[in-house]
Amino acid sequence: MICVRSNKKHWSSNLLLENKNIVIQPIVTQKTTNNIKKIKNILTNGNRKNDSTENKILNYISNIVSIDGKNEGNSVLINKMKEKEPEIFKIINERYANLNLPYDILNKSYLIGIEQQEAAYQNIVNNLDFVNSLFEEVTYDNCLLILNIFYEVYGWAKYEKELSKKERLKYYAFLMNQWMNGITLKKIIKVQ
């Protein structure tokens, strides 16, 4: 908490400043403590669809635990999980035993599930010539093609609420094409 002195306003009560034991707990720690069984279920069965704030948070936490746990990371979250549910790390090691995705790539985004990242990585590695050919020219059709590839590779139908309807990709391809071709946001909005 930060207190700033202001001559214009004053507090009518000093209760906030009295000696109280105020415990501030980060939401990740709080959600972990209260939802160990749900996190274990996600780690066992895979990420849930991001259709609620709680699912987004629990998926995020399970991704952190999976990525850092797989790489024997040491953090408050990992230590809490080891203390409360040590068998989770056996599940993680079994589930991701054949993971080929380098840790430095995994570690860049905890918001994307390991399965999604691994699928994208394998797709790129196996189709490198095709991927390189996609970026020759920025057109609506190329943008739509790339979004359709991402839709399949990242499993948006399964994992993403906002991107689960494939027909919405046309709208995003339009925006992407306009933006990547230097059209200002103001002009893009005006066209809509």
Side-chain angles (χ1 to χ4, degrees):
M1 179 184 303
I2 299 172
C3 296
V4 179
R5 181 184 168 112
S6 172
N7 292 330
K8 295 179 183 175
K9 297 184 180 187
H10 68 281
W11 288 331
S12 58
S13 170
N14 289 340
L15 290 176
L16 183 64
L17 302 175
E18 288 181 13
N19 187 9
K20 292 184 179 179
N21 290 333
I22 298 174
V23 177
I24 299 175
Q25 187 177 28
I27 194 158
V28 171
T29 307
Q30 180 184 357
K31 288 288 182 186
T32 303
T33 304
N34 297 339
N35 294 290
I36 296 264
K37 290 194 186 318
K38 288 180 183 176
I39 293 168
K40 183 178 177 184
N41 185 40
I42 291 170
L43 292 171
T44 304
N45 301 314
N47 283 0
R48 299 173 177 190
K49 193 165 190 170
N50 287 329
D51 57 356
S52 71
T53 302
E54 180 170 319
N55 280 348
K56 287 179 185 177
I57 292 169
L58 293 177
N59 285 338
Y60 180 70
I61 292 169
S62 70
N63 290 342
I64 292 171
V65 171
S66 295
I67 293 167
D68 290 348
K70 174 87 174 111
N71 292 288
E72 299 176 12
N74 193 6
S75 67
V76 172
L77 181 60
I78 295 295
N79 292 338
K80 181 178 283 292
M81 293 301 283
K82 284 179 181 174
E83 175 188 313
K84 299 277 185 186
E85 199 70 53
E87 72 183 54
I88 283 179
F89 297 95
K90 181 181 176 197
I91 294 168
I92 291 169
N93 286 325
E94 288 172 4
R95 184 172 182 149
Y96 302 116
N98 297 321
L99 191 69
N100 294 313
L101 183 63
Y103 175 72
D104 61 324
I105 295 175
L106 262 178
N107 197 34
K108 299 239 186 292
S109 181
Y110 291 114
L111 293 173
I112 302 173
I114 292 177
E115 291 89 357
Q116 290 174 279
Q117 291 193 55
E118 175 72 14
Y121 178 76
Q122 290 303 322
N123 193 294
I124 290 168
V125 168
N126 294 331
N127 300 296
L128 203 51
D129 291 337
F130 174 70
V131 171
N132 288 333
S133 72
L134 290 175
F135 299 103
E136 291 175 2
E137 185 181 2
V138 177
T139 65
Y140 169 82
D141 289 334
N142 283 347
C143 290
L144 185 58
L145 177 63
I146 289 168
L147 290 174
N148 276 301
I149 291 168
F150 285 178
Y151 182 87
E152 298 301 325
V153 169
Y154 284 102
W156 288 347
K158 179 179 179 183
Y159 295 109
E160 299 296 333
K161 180 181 178 186
E162 297 296 322
L163 298 170
S164 64
K165 294 179 182 166
K166 202 167 190 175
E167 56 273 5
R168 299 234 348 126
L169 297 182
K170 292 177 183 177
Y171 172 71
Y172 288 110
F174 169 78
L175 294 177
M176 187 174 158
N177 178 50
Q178 296 288 304
W179 177 71
M180 291 176 74
N181 281 302
I183 307 298
T184 64
L185 186 57
K186 184 177 181 179
K187 286 184 181 177
I188 294 171
I189 292 170
K190 210 176 233 185
V191 170
Q192 295 296 314

